[in-house]
Amino acid sequence: MKYISTRGDKSERSFCEILLEGLAPDGGLYLPTDYPRIDAITLNAWRGLKYHELAFEILSLFIDDIPPADLRALVTKTYTPEVFGSVEITPLKPLEPGLYLQALSNGPTLAFKDMAMQLLGNLFEYELKRRDQTLNILGATSGDTGSAAEYAMRGKRGVKVFMLSPKGRMSPFQQAQMFSLQDANIHNIAVEGVFDDCQDIVKAVSNDLAFKRAHRIGTVNSINWARLLAQVVYYFAGYFQATESNAQQVSFAVPSGNFGNICAGHVARMMGLPIRQLVLATNENNVLDEFFCTGTYRVRGSAETHETSSPSMDISKASNFERFVFDLLGRDGTRTRQLFKTEVEERGAFSISAAEFARLKDYGFVSGTSTHTDRLATIRNTHERFNVIVDTHTADGLKVARQHMQPGVPMIVLETALPAKFAETIVEALGIQPPRPTGMEHIENLPKRFVVMPISVSEVKAYVQAHA
Ligand SMILES: *Cc1c(COP(=O)(O)O)cnc(C)c1O
């Protein structure tokens, strides 16, 4: 299996070549040259597999430059009940007949990003060792991504993490999760500014190519293909739990921000998994809902980006969306490049043609928006009826899922975080504190390890230089 860019550069790269990369050299995103198709016999054979066995089968279709025995060992040590809390790894929780939550958030940081990031940590360590190289990951976070990255990379040989976060602006729980890590290879940098300031510093450092090369700077952002690939697995796992035979279809509802999670669902569907609908849920930052309703993709400025109670979906543009558009346009790299490079960068928007818009339904996508009021209502209603507390992002998914239920087609809502991470809104909705997993009751009291820095590219560079 080889990988090409969405922007027309047809040079083919192998999995391990793109594993440690971000964008393709032409500014596009990497995708496999084609999607492997899963026939009925294979799908049947996969039905009885344990999660790590299923992960191995799926990953080995996309990875041919890691020896199978090594790949098997990597996924086996990643997807364990010890790390993810259950034998099923991503168990389905029935709410009512035909409606399920799929638990993706029982990893170390209580959000679904652990599903991919934990594998990425092991893949990075493996590949760096094989190349006899080291890597310094530089990132900016306002919450889930940074903590998932740190918990995936802690203690890994050859990898150091430098994570910038806006000082005093993360929830106390999220801050405690990150800052309590005592591992020598994890560096928390609290910047005296907002999230955009952190992101600007990361961009400035990454644009200094000489510095980047000299200090082997890398990233783990959501455009990384390996992250997306790891997420394909749980769509299969969810499907098998909700059905008894391959004649059945299911739908998935996905709380979406950067379009990474739901893009994995798109890949699973392209592989032949019987998915009827991919239900995309946004919060008030509804760039993507607007696209699926109108055919116009219009990115937002920071002034137009709302701070919401489902903050991990507060995006102004969706960094993985280009992957789907490339497929929608019949894999026309020149046109994808024109839409994303010329039109989005110059005018901030593009519209697809009526014929292209009509093709959206062939890909199963439908969408909807959920607001703060909807979240509160969904959290209350779910608690009253099922005695289940859902987090704010999952509530967005559940709200939009209910608008698209079809008779006879199970609907699986992906649970992207646990409510303990977003306690403030749970208290607002229910008047009670969400439960915390054992061992995390007093996480705020643990000793913290972090440095404070002004908004300064040169100070961040000096710090990285001193500790890389
Ligand atoms: C990252 C995140 C999302 C959005 O996922 P994308 O892959 O960016 O679409 C949704 N919910 C939670 C809790 C997240 O952390």
Side-chain angles (χ1 to χ4, degrees):
M1 179 59 76
K2 293 285 187 275
Y3 293 86
I4 52 167
S5 164
T6 51
R7 295 204 179 166
D9 178 354
K10 295 226 161 48
S11 20
E12 299 190 350
R13 294 171 172 81
S14 66
F15 177 83
C16 288
E17 280 178 88
I18 66 166
L19 172 63
L20 305 168
E21 303 277 315
L23 294 174
D26 67 353
L29 306 181
Y30 288 113
L31 272 182
T33 51
D34 51 41
Y35 298 112
R37 291 286 302 182
I38 308 308
D39 59 25
I41 295 167
T42 311
L43 203 57
N44 260 331
W46 286 0
R47 197 169 261 286
L49 296 183
K50 297 201 174 71
Y51 193 93
H52 65 90
E53 296 167 337
L54 181 63
F56 171 74
E57 295 298 329
I58 295 174
L59 263 52
S60 44
L61 298 175
F62 292 89
I63 303 174
D64 54 17
D65 52 350
I66 295 178
D70 291 1
L71 185 60
R72 194 184 281 281
L74 289 169
V75 294
T76 305
K77 85 168 176 190
T78 302
Y79 297 110
T80 65
E82 291 68 40
V83 174
F84 289 98
S86 69
V87 185
E88 296 88 351
I89 308 296
T90 63
L92 285 196
K93 303 192 273 191
L95 289 182
E96 62 190 44
L99 181 64
Y100 303 89
L101 294 177
Q102 187 175 2
L104 304 181
S105 307
N106 297 301
T109 73
L110 315 186
F112 86 99
K113 291 190 173 67
D114 291 327
M115 293 302 307
M117 210 71 95
Q118 287 288 314
L119 179 69
L120 202 67
N122 285 326
L123 283 169
F124 272 26
E125 185 178 54
Y126 174 84
E127 182 59 15
L128 288 167
K129 177 162 183 249
R130 197 156 72 155
R131 294 185 193 182
D132 194 21
Q133 285 177 2
T134 59
L135 186 70
N136 294 298
I137 292 168
L138 178 66
T141 190
S142 55
D144 289 344
T145 309
S147 52
E150 292 190 352
Y151 280 77
M153 303 297 167
R154 62 186 296 198
K156 293 279 183 288
R157 270 162 305 166
V159 189
K160 286 179 182 159
V161 178
F162 297 87
M163 193 57 67
L164 277 50
S165 60
K167 181 167 177 269
R169 285 172 192 266
M170 276 191 299
S171 78
F173 183 83
Q174 287 186 314
Q175 195 204 57
Q177 271 190 321
M178 289 177 53
F179 290 8
S180 62
L181 286 180
Q182 301 297 327
D183 305 75
N185 70 329
I186 303 295
H187 298 270
N188 287 301
I189 303 177
V191 174
E192 293 170 313
V194 295
F195 172 67
D196 283 337
D197 298 317
C198 301
Q199 200 152 29
D200 288 346
I201 295 174
V202 171
K203 278 186 199 154
V205 176
S206 303
N207 287 339
D208 181 343
L209 292 181
F211 185 87
K212 194 177 165 192
R213 206 162 302 132
H215 301 288
R216 304 170 309 282
I217 305 290
T219 58
V220 286
N221 47 28
S222 79
I223 58 163
N224 181 289
W225 167 254
R227 275 181 67 180
L228 207 143
L229 178 58
Q231 294 173 351
V232 172
V233 178
Y234 54 70
Y235 284 87
F236 282 83
Y239 173 78
F240 291 135
Q241 291 177 74
T243 60
E244 272 154 17
S245 101
N246 302 340
Q248 290 168 277
Q249 290 188 316
V250 303
S251 294
F252 285 93
V254 188
S256 293
N258 275 317
F259 204 82
N261 199 356
I262 202 163
C263 194
H266 163 68
V267 173
R269 194 171 179 279
M270 297 299 279
M271 292 170 69
L273 188 67
I275 297 177
R276 171 78 64 92
Q277 301 180 101
L278 287 165
V279 181
L280 180 143
T282 69
N283 64 18
E284 289 88 336
N285 298 292
N286 57 355
V287 190
L288 290 167
D289 182 31
E290 186 174 280
F291 172 81
F292 285 101
C293 292
T294 66
T296 294
Y297 178 64
R298 187 179 63 85
V299 305
R300 315 276 161 88
S302 42
E304 263 189 289
T305 307
H306 310 281
E307 264 186 50
T308 75
S309 48
S310 44
S312 298
M313 293 155 64
D314 291 350
I315 53 103
S316 49
K317 60 177 185 213
S319 53
N320 275 291
F321 185 49
E322 185 170 334
R323 287 194 159 107
F324 169 66
V325 172
F326 180 66
D327 283 342
L328 178 71
L329 300 178
R331 302 204 135 203
D332 180 343
T334 311
R335 180 145 157 72
T336 307
R337 178 183 190 83
Q338 189 216 336
L339 295 187
F340 280 90
K341 188 162 164 61
T342 317
E343 301 200 24
V344 169
E345 279 174 27
E346 281 170 21
R347 297 193 300 119
F350 67 73
S351 298
I352 56 173
S353 71
E356 287 157 354
F357 187 73
R359 280 215 298 274
L360 282 176
K361 66 173 183 322
D362 301 339
Y363 291 89
F365 278 92
V366 292
S367 69
T369 293
S370 162
T371 64
H372 183 67
T373 312
D374 295 323
R375 279 191 279 287
L376 295 180
T378 303
I379 292 167
R380 277 190 203 115
N381 175 283
T382 309
H383 186 237
E384 271 163 27
R385 289 177 59 194
F386 312 116
N387 199 25
V388 168
I389 304 182
V390 288
D391 108 284
T392 52
H393 307 76
T394 310
D396 289 332
L398 193 49
K399 188 256 170 179
V400 179
R402 286 191 181 281
Q403 297 172 325
H404 293 282
M405 304 259 299
Q406 293 172 329
V409 184
M411 174 70 76
I412 302 174
V413 180
L414 299 187
E415 180 183 57
T416 55
L418 290 193
K421 285 193 101 160
F422 303 96
E424 206 182 312
T425 310
I426 303 301
V427 172
E428 186 183 346
L430 304 177
I432 54 170
Q433 287 285 340
R436 283 193 181 181
T438 357
M440 293 194 188
E441 294 87 349
H442 306 293
I443 188 173
E444 288 92 337
N445 302 340
L446 294 174
K448 295 187 170 62
R449 188 168 164 274
F450 66 101
V451 294
V452 178
M453 230 169 259
I455 306 172
S456 159
V457 175
S458 56
E459 289 203 29
V460 169
K461 277 184 177 169
Y463 185 88
V464 171
Q465 193 153 10
H467 297 88

